[in-house]
Amino acid sequence: MYAIGFDIGGTKCAVSVGELNQGSICVLGRLEVPTTTPHETLDALLPQAIEWKKQYGALAAGISCGGPLDSATGVIVSPPNLPLWHGFAIVDYIKEKSGLVSVLENDANACAVAEWKFGAGQGTRNMVFFTFGTGLGAGLILDGKLYSGTGGNAGEFGHIRLAKTGPVGYGKEGSFEGFCSGGGIARLAVMMAKRRKSMPKCIADMGGYESVTTKKLAEAAFAGDRFAKQVFQKSGEMLGRGLSLVIDIVNPERIVIGGVFMRSGELLIPAMQKVIDREALSDSARVCEIVPAKLSENVGDIAALAIAEGAIV
């Protein structure tokens, strides 16, 4: 099967064409443009999509975009990083301009489908995927299919409050996203550092509190910096607490985690596992693997292509 994928982001958008087979996917072409208005952006991408449609015989397209959105009606509702796209009926527009039957999906859900079909979730029927990137998005594969919930908001685990105080994430202090996201870990480091009598050396070396990033903290931790390792230990503990809830409620056979976990898992896993061993139901924890995501390169393209199959009914 050949399909078209549209990856809609706040700074750039891309269209790709790919060949999807059982358990494998191959991206055959890609075009990227800066994100402006929906009409201007898509009008720059659609001629290439139409050409690929003719060349490969692709009949369907997947659209991956940050939410909130309405998958049922194909409308981008109000993503904070896409203010000019609010209320835009993207599925209807693409069909009108190209003839492609399309399906719109939240980017975390699309990534979950991609990891389930082509990545670390292959072979499972019950899987949870976490982005662990700028934020903590999640997607649920339950009984062999994507579960979106009544209003399309299932899997918003990042909004769960894990502690009364802590870094802010998803607009909530002490949330799962606050402790377990790229931005959250940086904020956690600043909070922990300000409780000390003096600024930790690794933060001073970065240029002070305003210059702290999770990437720099990970580099310091891997180099043996004690404070940086303590920050990741705390994040790992809260990751374990959040995953224990997921394990108890969803009972998945595999949890796939991307982003920071994929790159720096060894800094998080010992503390995470210790909490899971203590907090989660032992029978559920025993049957659940926690693994890093596999689709690191062009994951947005693969995610968009992976959901295209859902457009064919």
Side-chain angles (χ1 to χ4, degrees):
M1 169 187 172
Y2 292 96
I4 305 292
F6 292 89
D7 181 23
I8 308 300
T11 59
K12 62 182 185 296
C13 295
V15 63
S16 58
V17 61
E19 183 177 11
L20 287 67
N21 294 308
Q22 187 68 33
S24 68
I25 185 169
C26 179
V27 178
L28 302 172
R30 183 179 191 274
L31 173 66
E32 179 182 301
V33 299
T35 303
T36 55
T37 66
H39 294 88
E40 183 179 359
T41 303
L42 290 173
D43 287 352
L45 296 173
L46 281 166
Q48 182 64 76
I50 293 169
E51 183 179 326
W52 283 332
K53 176 188 173 185
K54 295 175 181 176
Q55 181 180 353
Y56 294 102
L59 300 176
I63 309 163
S64 172
C65 180
L69 47 79
D70 189 333
S71 296
T73 61
V75 174
I76 296 173
V77 179
S78 56
N81 65 337
L82 289 165
L84 298 178
W85 294 59
H86 290 186
F88 180 61
I90 189 170
V91 166
D92 287 345
Y93 190 81
I94 288 175
K95 184 175 182 181
E96 177 188 339
K97 293 289 184 176
S98 68
L100 286 164
V101 178
S102 305
V103 61
L104 173 67
E105 192 54 77
N106 175 284
D107 53 2
N109 284 347
C111 285
V113 173
E115 284 289 343
W116 175 51
K117 289 184 175 181
F118 308 112
Q122 285 189 76
T124 64
R125 284 190 58 79
N126 295 292
M127 184 202 87
V128 180
F129 169 78
F130 285 95
T131 58
F132 207 142
T134 304
L136 189 72
L140 298 169
I141 304 296
L142 301 180
D143 285 334
K145 60 185 178 180
L146 177 68
Y147 177 76
S148 299
T150 304
N153 292 316
E156 295 293 357
F157 295 114
H159 196 244
I160 295 172
R161 195 188 303 275
L162 296 180
K164 290 182 179 180
T165 61
V168 175
Y170 212 139
K172 182 181 286 186
E173 184 179 6
S175 66
F176 198 170
E177 182 174 290
F179 286 105
C180 300
S181 63
I185 290 175
R187 290 188 288 274
L188 175 63
V190 171
M191 291 181 67
M192 291 174 62
K194 287 183 175 179
R195 297 192 193 113
R196 297 162 66 100
K197 293 181 180 179
S198 59
M199 182 181 291
K201 182 180 182 301
C202 69
I203 291 183
D205 290 344
M206 293 177 204
Y209 297 127
E210 299 299 320
S211 301
V212 176
T213 67
T214 298
K215 181 180 179 181
K216 292 176 183 177
L217 281 166
E219 291 171 353
F222 279 122
D225 184 88
R226 184 177 178 183
F227 174 77
K229 291 168 73 173
Q230 289 173 344
V231 173
F232 276 92
Q233 179 180 346
K234 181 63 177 179
S235 179
E237 289 173 359
M238 302 311 283
L239 177 62
R241 185 174 297 184
L243 293 185
S244 293
L245 294 172
V246 175
I247 289 168
D248 285 355
I249 295 169
V250 181
N251 190 202
E253 59 195 283
R254 196 168 300 159
I255 295 174
V256 179
I257 312 178
V260 176
F261 187 89
M262 187 169 56
R263 297 185 293 270
S264 306
E266 61 190 275
L267 299 173
L268 299 161
I269 289 172
M272 173 200 80
Q273 193 60 56
K274 186 175 181 179
V275 173
I276 290 173
D277 290 344
R278 183 182 71 236
E279 296 292 334
L281 288 166
S282 59
D283 287 344
S284 296
R286 186 168 54 250
V287 298
C288 179
E289 295 180 280
I290 300 171
V291 300
K294 285 186 178 179
L295 303 176
S296 58
E297 298 299 324
N298 295 330
V299 64
D301 300 327
I302 295 173
L305 291 167
I307 61 170
E309 192 174 6
I312 302 175
V313 294

